[in-house]
Amino acid sequence: MRVSACARGILAGIVVGLLFVWAGDAAAEGYGPFPVRNFQPLQMLFLGMPGDRAAVLKKGALDVRVELADTATVFDDRILPTTATMKFEQLRSGLFLRYGLTEKLEVAVEVPAVYRYRGILEGAITGVERATTGLAPARKSLENRGYVYNVSRNGNVMFSGSNNTLGLGDTTFIGKYQLLTEDHGWTPTLSLRVAAKAPTGDSAQFFGSGHPDFGVGVAVEKAVATNWLLYGNFNVVQPTGTVSNLSLQTVLTGIGAVEYLWSPALSFVAQFDYYSSAYHGTGSPVLDRGVTEAAFGFNYELRRNLLWQVYGIENLDILRGSAADFTLSTVVTYRFGN
């Protein structure tokens, strides 16, 4: 298993940080971390185990969740032998069903669709960059290009896609078993997660990898003070097969999140996300390097059993040259039963 020293360090930091929790009285139950995944188009081809809380649904409860995430991507990497020129937006919509099978076990399935197009966030992102850090070099070099998607190696195209293209993504199946239940001492809620991806997406259009993937992970959560909760996920994903004749490696992902309950119906979440890459040895940072991001947003209970979430994901670029530029997402979940 190939895992970089930087990846090990970041993930170790997440795990160690989650160990330093203390008991407290929460005013209400939290809503959990945001269901993020790696939205970078080339790395999103593989199994993504979305951010999740450790607590499982009550037996017989059913969640129906609809997600919509718009991701702006811009790369202009001309380091030979692999070059990546990409400027487009990706609209990912997903239908996620989750069911409480027993008091400690829940099962879930997600069916996504992906739409690639010129996008609508360009003006807003450009305005913010000009007013703050200055226009990103890749965005500046491609400012006269409306849509471009080409990743080549030694002159041979490895990844490409047309404007205004819609397709089904790969279907994901997830199971979560709750091992521990939080008490008023040091014990957190802890769950084991397993997942598998079925290759239902069109691999020729790069809406899927064309092969199944498998993953295992843990989720932990703990109330640490009145109205404050901590969450953490750590996952190991094993892709199978090859993509564009590129061999693949094991992927590590981790998130750490803190939630503040402003009221029983409204909370705010700050979240750090890390994903290593399934690719290696291509010479391109867009493919080889991991992704580090921060997410911020809110959870709002519109009415009983109806939750609305809005969050944005900003590229931290700690590992440089690999993350998507910005993602804006909204999620609506309705719960049937308890």
Side-chain angles (χ1 to χ4, degrees):
M1 181 176 71
R2 300 180 179 89
V3 181
S4 70
C6 184
R8 290 194 297 268
I10 291 174
L11 292 170
I14 294 172
V15 173
V16 170
L18 290 168
L19 293 177
F20 288 92
V21 297
W22 63 96
D25 295 319
E29 183 179 11
Y31 296 104
F34 296 125
V36 298
R37 69 202 71 221
N38 190 348
F39 289 108
Q40 202 255 52
L42 303 178
Q43 299 187 19
M44 199 187 71
L45 300 177
F46 309 104
L47 171 64
M49 297 177 67
D52 198 6
R53 61 181 308 185
V56 299
L57 289 181
K58 298 294 184 182
K59 181 179 179 179
L62 172 66
D63 272 7
V64 178
R65 185 169 83 199
V66 178
E67 299 181 44
L68 191 64
D70 192 18
T71 300
T73 296
V74 57
F75 296 116
D76 191 19
D77 176 21
R78 305 185 187 187
I79 302 174
L80 298 176
T82 305
T83 61
T85 306
M86 302 169 62
K87 183 185 177 185
F88 59 86
E89 289 182 27
Q90 172 183 271
L91 195 61
R92 184 187 187 277
S93 57
L95 175 63
F96 189 94
L97 305 177
R98 179 165 54 180
Y99 180 71
L101 200 60
T102 71
E103 290 298 328
K104 291 190 174 184
L105 175 65
E106 71 176 39
V107 293
V109 59
E110 183 190 40
V111 181
V114 181
Y115 175 60
R116 286 194 299 258
Y117 69 123
R118 291 186 57 164
I120 58 174
L121 298 177
E122 172 76 9
I125 294 174
T126 299
V128 171
E129 288 185 351
R130 291 187 188 279
T132 54
T133 59
L135 203 61
R139 190 173 297 279
K140 184 175 182 179
S141 67
L142 297 175
E143 60 184 341
N144 295 322
R145 304 285 295 273
Y147 178 100
V148 57
Y149 183 9
N150 185 286
V151 180
S152 300
R153 189 175 191 184
N154 296 319
N156 299 314
V157 176
M158 294 192 299
F159 300 92
S160 64
S162 303
N163 188 19
N164 294 323
T165 305
L166 174 67
L168 184 68
D170 289 341
T171 301
T172 301
F173 302 91
I174 301 176
K176 183 171 66 174
Y177 184 81
Q178 187 168 324
L179 300 171
L180 297 175
T181 301
E182 181 177 355
D183 59 22
H184 290 287
W186 287 88
T187 304
T189 300
L190 177 69
S191 291
L192 174 69
R193 306 170 72 199
V194 294
K197 178 176 73 70
T200 55
D202 186 349
S203 60
Q205 292 290 333
F206 299 107
F207 290 127
S209 69
H211 304 279
D213 299 335
F214 304 94
V216 62
V218 294
V220 61
E221 65 180 79
K222 185 80 169 97
V224 296
T226 301
N227 297 347
W228 291 90
L229 299 99
L230 291 180
Y231 303 94
N233 293 173
F234 174 73
N235 308 301
V236 180
V237 173
Q238 184 59 57
T240 66
T242 61
V243 174
S244 292
N245 295 319
L246 297 174
S247 60
L248 306 174
Q249 65 181 352
T250 303
V251 175
L252 300 183
T253 73
I255 72 166
V258 57
E259 180 179 19
Y260 175 68
L261 303 174
W262 179 270
S263 72
L266 175 65
S267 75
F268 299 93
V269 175
Q271 189 166 312
F272 173 83
D273 314 315
Y274 169 75
Y275 315 91
S276 69
S277 177
Y279 308 102
H280 63 94
T282 70
S284 169
V286 176
L287 290 168
D288 293 346
R289 295 180 181 174
V291 167
T292 49
E293 299 175 322
F296 302 93
F298 67 84
N299 301 296
Y300 183 64
E301 194 173 51
L302 295 169
R303 61 173 191 165
R304 177 174 163 78
N305 287 7
L306 182 61
L307 177 67
W308 179 38
Q309 299 172 289
V310 174
Y311 64 88
I313 303 175
E314 176 62 26
N315 165 25
L316 295 180
D317 209 20
I318 294 174
L319 302 179
R320 300 197 60 78
S322 53
D325 196 15
F326 181 75
T327 296
L328 181 63
S329 178
T330 184
V331 185
V332 176
T333 304
Y334 187 82
R335 178 166 298 173
F336 296 89
N338 270 332

